[in-house]
């Protein structure tokens, strides 16, 4: 798998690198990008086999919020049938390993995770990279990892777990820090299997009866932003964990998945995507809002983002790419033993020790998503015709 493949003619300063579920974890944890959620009853095997969404690199088969309680059994059966189709296609080479996205399952609960362990044949871990643990807490966290460790004892592949932090005890200020410390202790004990820590801003919003409009970002909802701040403070120190950004809820009603059709034209009047931070229109309100929030995600330390619509994927992943200036600064910092040095562009100071963690993060994003010559290249990258 490789990011930005939907635009094969785009000229990068540095190309994204290929990755797969068995890539080194230190690199792979930066590669998830836009993780597209889809209901477990959906025919996701056909989506993968036909490469319906050419920009798709990570997908989450959801047994939780996307599934009504009465549908769980039939969804489990459907998902296993889809896994069998993908497994057989991989074995007969009708599906190339390089075209297999990272696939995760979002279990409904610990109890249902036990059920999935029973019905998912260990051979399917040739295609399943791991699990998302919803409403992860100090009460259920050890049980989630107990089941995951049992699965890992049955397969040659490492099967990852991704705790999803979204519970009431994390939303409520009086219990948040204590709960975060308990949750982090559990995650730390299982760190070798934690690919990402994920956040559920929609659940946090529901506690406060809030919902961001299309013209606002999650950072404008101060009660939710407060939750995200404490999660980032706890898990992103010294690049200990990669934390993925929250879902953006809005999408264009006229979006088409016919790949011969281009996306909406982009207004490139000032040649800088960051103009959208100041509310200038680039595409439409739904995509403009997505870009605005993703830029703020990255600025605050998130990497990647949960996605609920395929039209989001290319924008999220393109924004993860780094500029040549950022890349050269990062290389300069990591190639210098200490002190302070003027940047190659002579417009800033690079202070070696304080900027080292930032530089390491930039180089990982450069490897995963590529390096753009300059910020305006974002437009050419996302505007490629679908084919």
């Amino acid at each position: 798998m490789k990011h930005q493949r939907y635009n094969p003619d785009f000229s990068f300063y540095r190309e994204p690198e290929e990755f797969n579920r068995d890539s080194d974890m230190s690199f792979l944890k930066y590669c998830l990008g836009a993780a597209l959620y889809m209901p477990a009853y959906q025919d996701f095997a056909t989506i993968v086999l036909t490469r319906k969404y050419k920009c798709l690199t990570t997908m989450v088969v959801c047994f939780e919020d996307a599934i009504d309680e009465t549908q769980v059994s039939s969804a489990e059966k459907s998902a296993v049938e889809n896994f069998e189709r993908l497994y057989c296609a991989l074995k007969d080479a009708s599906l190339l390993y390089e075209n297999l996205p990272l696939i995760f399952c979002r279990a409904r609960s610990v109890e249902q995770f036990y059920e999935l362990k029973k019905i998912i044949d260990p051979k399917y871990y040739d295609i399943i990279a791991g699990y998302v643990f919803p409403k992860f807490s100090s009460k259920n966290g050890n049980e989630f990892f107990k089941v995951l460790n049992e699965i890992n004892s049955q397969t040659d592949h490492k099967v990852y777990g991704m705790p999803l932090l979204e519970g009431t005890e994390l939303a409520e200020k009086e219990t948040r820090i204590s709960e975060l410390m308990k949750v982090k202790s559990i995650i730390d004990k299982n760190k070798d299997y934690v690919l990402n820590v994920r956040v559920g801003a929609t659940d946090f919003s529901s506690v406060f009866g809030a919902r961001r409009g299309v013209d606002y970002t999650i950072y404008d909802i101060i009660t939710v932003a407060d939750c995200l701040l404490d999660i980032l403070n706890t898990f992103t120190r010294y690049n200990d964990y990669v934390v993925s950004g929250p879902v953006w809820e809005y999408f264009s009603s006229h979006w088409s998945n016919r790949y011969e059709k281009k996306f909406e034209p982009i207004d490139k009047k000032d040649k800088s995507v960051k103009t959208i931070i100041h509310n200038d229109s680039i595409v439409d309100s739904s995509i403009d809002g997505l870009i605005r929030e993703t830029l703020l995600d990255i600025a605050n330390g998130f990497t990647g983002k949960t996605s609920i619509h395929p039209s989001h994927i290319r924008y999220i992943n393109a924004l993860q790419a780094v500029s040549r200036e950022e890349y050269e600064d990062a290389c300069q910092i990591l190639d210098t033993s200490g002190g302070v040095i003027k940047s190659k562009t002579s417009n800033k100071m690079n202070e070696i020790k304080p900027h080292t963690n930032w530089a390491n993060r930039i180089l990982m994003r450069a490897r995963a998503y590529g390096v753009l010559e300059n910020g305006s290249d974002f437009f050419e990258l996302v505007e490629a015709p679908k084919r």
Side-chain angles (χ1 to χ4, degrees), residues 49-67:
L49 293 172
T50 62
R51 298 182 65 194
K52 181 178 182 181
Y53 308 132
K54 288 185 172 60
C55 49
L56 176 65
T57 51
T58 303
M59 57 181 279
V60 179
V61 179
C62 184
F63 292 90
E64 197 212 6
D65 289 343
I67 301 292

Side-chain angles (χ1 to χ4, degrees), residues 52-268:
K52 181 178 182 181
Y53 308 132
K54 288 185 172 60
C55 49
L56 176 65
T57 51
T58 303
M59 57 181 279
V60 179
V61 179
C62 184
F63 292 90
E64 197 212 6
D65 289 343
I67 301 292
D68 185 89
E69 190 172 351
T70 60
Q71 298 176 302
V72 173
S73 180
S74 59
E76 289 173 345
K77 180 180 177 182
S78 175
V80 169
E81 291 171 353
N82 276 267
F83 291 141
E84 175 66 16
R85 288 176 60 200
L86 291 174
Y87 176 79
C88 291
L90 199 62
K91 293 306 173 184
D92 69 17
S94 56
L95 171 63
L96 300 179
Y97 200 48
E98 65 192 50
N99 292 329
L100 177 68
L102 300 175
I103 299 176
F104 299 87
C105 296
R106 181 181 181 177
R108 190 178 186 87
S109 61
V110 171
E111 292 72 25
Q112 201 236 350
F113 192 20
Y114 274 109
E115 185 62 25
L116 290 175
K117 174 181 173 289
K118 294 177 187 175
I119 65 175
I120 293 179
D121 192 303
K123 71 182 183 181
Y124 296 145
Y125 292 109
D126 283 3
I127 55 175
I128 302 172
Y131 289 87
V132 177
F133 303 147
K135 296 177 177 59
F136 189 89
S137 71
S138 59
K139 296 181 177 65
N140 61 24
N142 284 311
E143 282 297 302
F144 271 122
F145 278 109
K146 178 183 176 183
V147 181
L148 185 70
N149 287 328
E150 290 173 0
I151 290 171
N152 272 289
S153 70
Q154 300 172 350
T155 177
D156 295 332
H157 298 280
K158 181 183 282 191
V159 181
Y160 292 102
M162 298 195 293
L164 176 51
L165 306 185
E166 55 184 351
T168 302
E169 287 186 326
L170 292 175
E172 296 174 350
K173 202 171 187 71
E174 60 269 32
T175 56
R176 184 185 308 150
I177 299 304
S178 173
E179 176 67 2
L180 271 174
M181 293 302 99
K182 293 175 185 176
V183 164
K184 187 172 186 295
S185 177
I186 295 170
I187 292 174
D188 284 346
K189 286 188 296 185
N190 297 277
K191 188 173 184 178
D192 289 346
Y193 294 100
V194 179
L195 195 59
N196 267 200
V197 174
R198 309 191 73 83
V199 295
T202 303
D203 279 47
F204 288 147
S205 297
S206 72
V207 173
F208 306 109
R211 184 178 188 181
R212 66 193 182 284
V214 72
D215 295 321
Y216 296 90
T217 73
I218 201 66
Y219 302 99
D220 296 311
I221 311 301
I222 57 174
T223 47
V224 179
D226 194 47
C227 301
L228 301 181
L229 164 68
D230 286 335
I231 291 171
L232 286 169
N233 191 305
T234 303
F235 287 98
T236 62
R237 299 175 191 174
Y238 313 112
N239 293 341
D240 275 355
Y241 294 93
V242 170
V243 183
S244 180
V247 68
W248 174 254
E249 299 175 347
Y250 299 93
F251 50 88
S252 300
S253 59
H254 57 78
W255 184 83
S256 170
N257 64 11
R258 292 169 52 206
Y259 274 91
E260 66 272 21
K261 181 178 178 181
K262 286 189 178 184
F263 267 23
E264 288 299 297
I266 290 179
D267 181 358
K268 310 176 209 178

